[in-house]
């Protein structure tokens, strides 16, 4: 039962970190995601050519990395429960933030500056709309209050007529 709690804690921290990292990446992306992916592709290909690594060697490295991930997961199970929860929370959040940041950078539809400007203009527009709606609501409320007052005065006059 406690292991499930630790896993849930880790997953929640991973998700929260991914959201934070992705949001920050979208807001501060120096280029669009397509441009960033193209740059990474060309840099990766350049490094492969310069180092002479083939796809097979890359597959072997990926297998080694997968084995190391499995070993790391086994190691996490052996850590004491109290410390494990704190570490999992931190690791999950940081990992999620990194993953979210990378995904955000790679798939940013616009540069971060453009995204921030867009969000700022939307916020200003929404503020203006809220002010207009508030003023309209105020006018409607004042009109309804005036109508209610007039109706109350008419009823009061009618009651006074009946008592006189």
């Amino acid at each position: 039962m406690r292991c499930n709690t630790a896993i849930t804690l880790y997953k929640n921290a991973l998700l929260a970190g991914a959201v934070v990292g992705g949001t920050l990446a979208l807001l501060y992306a120096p280029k669009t995601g397509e441009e960033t992916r193209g740059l990474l592709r060309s840099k990766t290909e350049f490094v492969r050519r310069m180092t002479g690594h083939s796809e097979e060697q890359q597959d072997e490295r990926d297998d080694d990395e997968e084995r190391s991930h499995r070993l790391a997961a086994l190691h996490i199970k052996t850590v004491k429960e109290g410390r494990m929860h704190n570490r999992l929370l931190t690791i999950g959040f940081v990992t999620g933030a990194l993953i979210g940041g990378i995904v955000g950078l790679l798939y940013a539809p616009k540069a971060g500056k453009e995204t921030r400007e867009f969000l700022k203009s939307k916020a200003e527009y929404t503020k203006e709309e809220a002010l207009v709606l508030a003023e309209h609501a105020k006018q409607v409320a004042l009109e309804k209050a005036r109508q209610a007052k007039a109706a109350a005065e008419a009823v009061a006059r009618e009651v006074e007529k009946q008592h006189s």
Side-chain angles (χ1 to χ4, degrees), residues 26-96:
L26 288 173
L27 291 174
Y28 294 101
K31 299 179 180 185
T32 67
E34 190 174 336
E35 292 170 332
T36 304
R37 289 191 307 273
L39 179 66
L40 286 175
R41 235 180 272 117
S42 66
K43 296 287 183 185
T44 303
E45 185 57 36
F46 175 77
V47 169
R48 278 194 186 138
R49 278 186 304 207
M50 295 304 289
T51 59
H53 291 295
S54 66
E55 287 295 321
E56 291 173 8
Q57 290 170 327
Q58 183 64 36
D59 290 341
E60 288 175 14
R61 271 188 250 108
D62 290 344
D63 290 342
D64 289 342
E65 188 174 328
E66 185 178 333
R67 274 187 241 118
S68 69
H69 284 295
R70 277 191 255 131
L71 287 174
L74 288 173
H75 178 264
I76 289 173
K77 290 180 182 179
T78 63
V79 177
K80 292 182 180 179
E81 187 176 315
R83 288 174 38 200
M84 182 172 52
H85 282 235
N86 290 337
R87 285 183 181 166
L88 286 175
L89 182 64
T90 303
I91 290 169
F93 187 82
V94 170
T95 303

Side-chain angles (χ1 to χ4, degrees), residues 131-143:
L131 292 173
V132 168
L133 285 173
E135 183 60 33
H136 178 70
K138 178 182 173 185
Q139 295 302 324
V140 169
L142 288 172
E143 178 60 26

